[in-house]
């Protein structure tokens, strides 16, 4: 294959992976400590509400809508202090916020659906699924990293949710990401697939595994 560095493909290969359609401008250069508060003050702000691994979706005329206005979100016992700013969409700031209300107490018009089902059933568009991945990862990190791993004191959210700061020892903590290599070993005629014990009948998958610290993508694939 003739590969030239500057012949950009129409669609990057990683765009074919699930949850990869995020189009939010992350505005990482503008993440002040009051970024969430400011974004919530904008009337165009849109929120994704999450609770216990599920996304809350409005159901209207058979269509699912993952976006709530700030005022509208109050009914779902949201913790705005625990919200994270995902960035700017074409229509305004986008946030992910933990909702306190239990799924069984939701009104008829709102459904609580686990992230995997939201994606597998195509309930929201690719851009929203990308935002869901970003928000879910950040909220899960905050939920499990409330305390400083160096001194044990409670840490505080900073930079719109992209950092936690420990006021006791001054250490900054950053969200974890988990790089994974997904690979397809192929000849012109054949390719190697795997099958998990839990897979449904006839289901096969490309091989994948976590990339370890100090390892390149290619080295992880070979291992
Ligand atoms: Zn500390």
């Amino acid at each position: 294959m003739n590969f030239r560095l500057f012949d950009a493909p129409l669609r990057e290969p990683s765009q074919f992976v699930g949850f990869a359609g995020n189009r939010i401008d992350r505005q990482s250069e503008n993440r002040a400590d009051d970024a969430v508060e400011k974004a919530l003050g904008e009337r165009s702000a849109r929120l994704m509400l999450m609770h216990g691994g599920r996304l809350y979706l409005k159901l209207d005329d058979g269509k699912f809508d993952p976006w709530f206005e700030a005022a509208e979100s109050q009914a779902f016992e949201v913790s705005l202090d625990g919200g994270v700013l995902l960035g700017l969409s074409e229509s305004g700031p986008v946030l992910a916020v933990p909702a306190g209300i239990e799924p069984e107490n939701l009104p008829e018009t709102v459904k609580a659906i686990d992230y995997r089902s939201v994606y597998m059933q195509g309930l929201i568009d690719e851009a929203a699924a990308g935002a869901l991945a970003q928000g879910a990862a950040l909220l899960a990190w905050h939920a499990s990293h409330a305390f400083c791993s160096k001194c044990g004191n409670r840490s505080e959210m900073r930079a719109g949710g992209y950092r936690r700061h420990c006021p006791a020892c001054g250490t900054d903590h950053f969200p974890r990401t988990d790089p994974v290599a997904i690979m397809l070993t192929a000849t012109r005629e054949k390719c190697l697939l795997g099958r998990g014990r839990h897979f449904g009948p006839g289901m096969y998958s490309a091989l994948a595994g976590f990339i370890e610290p100090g390892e390149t993508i290619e080295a992880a694939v070979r291992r």
Side-chain angles (χ1 to χ4, degrees):
M1 189 172 82
N2 267 330
F3 178 78
R4 278 175 292 169
L5 187 59
F6 297 105
D7 288 346
L10 289 175
R11 201 174 173 198
E12 293 168 0
S14 61
Q15 288 293 307
F16 292 93
V17 175
F19 296 105
N22 202 348
R23 288 203 292 273
I24 289 171
D25 173 359
R26 292 172 180 251
Q27 292 275 309
S28 56
E29 67 279 25
N30 293 322
R31 285 179 191 146
D33 288 338
D34 61 351
V36 169
E37 200 183 338
K38 269 194 176 159
L40 284 168
E42 291 195 31
R43 286 183 59 180
S44 60
R46 295 183 305 155
L47 283 60
M48 269 188 174
L49 308 187
M50 300 171 188
H51 177 101
R54 296 177 185 211
L55 180 66
Y56 285 178
L57 294 148
K58 290 185 278 188
L59 180 57
D60 183 25
D61 208 15
K63 290 191 86 174
F64 288 97
D65 176 6
W67 302 112
F68 291 75
E69 289 176 16
E72 187 183 26
S73 72
Q74 299 294 337
F76 301 91
E77 300 167 21
V78 289
S79 151
L80 294 178
D81 286 348
V84 295
L85 179 61
L86 302 183
L88 274 182
S89 73
E90 285 163 5
S91 56
V94 181
L95 300 99
V97 178
I101 191 170
E102 294 295 333
E104 56 268 29
N105 297 329
L106 288 172
E108 275 287 289
T109 51
V110 177
K111 304 293 173 198
I113 304 180
D114 70 277
Y115 306 144
R116 183 180 287 256
S117 300
V118 168
Y119 180 76
M120 295 297 282
Q121 295 171 29
L123 304 184
I124 58 178
D125 62 34
E126 284 188 21
L132 166 59
Q134 184 184 354
L138 280 168
L139 292 187
W141 177 67
H142 286 293
S144 59
H145 290 74
F147 297 90
C148 176
S149 56
K150 197 168 180 184
C151 76
N153 278 286
R154 181 172 280 279
S155 58
E156 299 165 349
M157 191 187 288
R158 295 280 168 84
Y162 291 81
R163 181 160 54 91
R164 294 192 71 88
H165 178 75
C166 173
C169 76
T171 303
D172 284 320
H173 302 276
F174 296 91
R176 62 180 279 183
T177 56
D178 302 282
V180 168
I182 300 176
M183 67 215 78
L184 188 67
T185 308
T187 65
R188 287 198 182 280
E189 290 81 31
K190 294 177 180 175
C191 67
L192 178 67
L193 298 173
R195 243 188 82 71
R197 282 165 195 260
H198 60 288
F199 285 6
M203 182 177 168
Y204 296 86
S205 153
L207 304 181
F210 287 109
I211 298 173
E212 296 188 347
E215 190 172 40
T216 63
I217 297 172
E218 292 84 353
V221 168
R222 282 192 291 271
R223 172 169 61 82

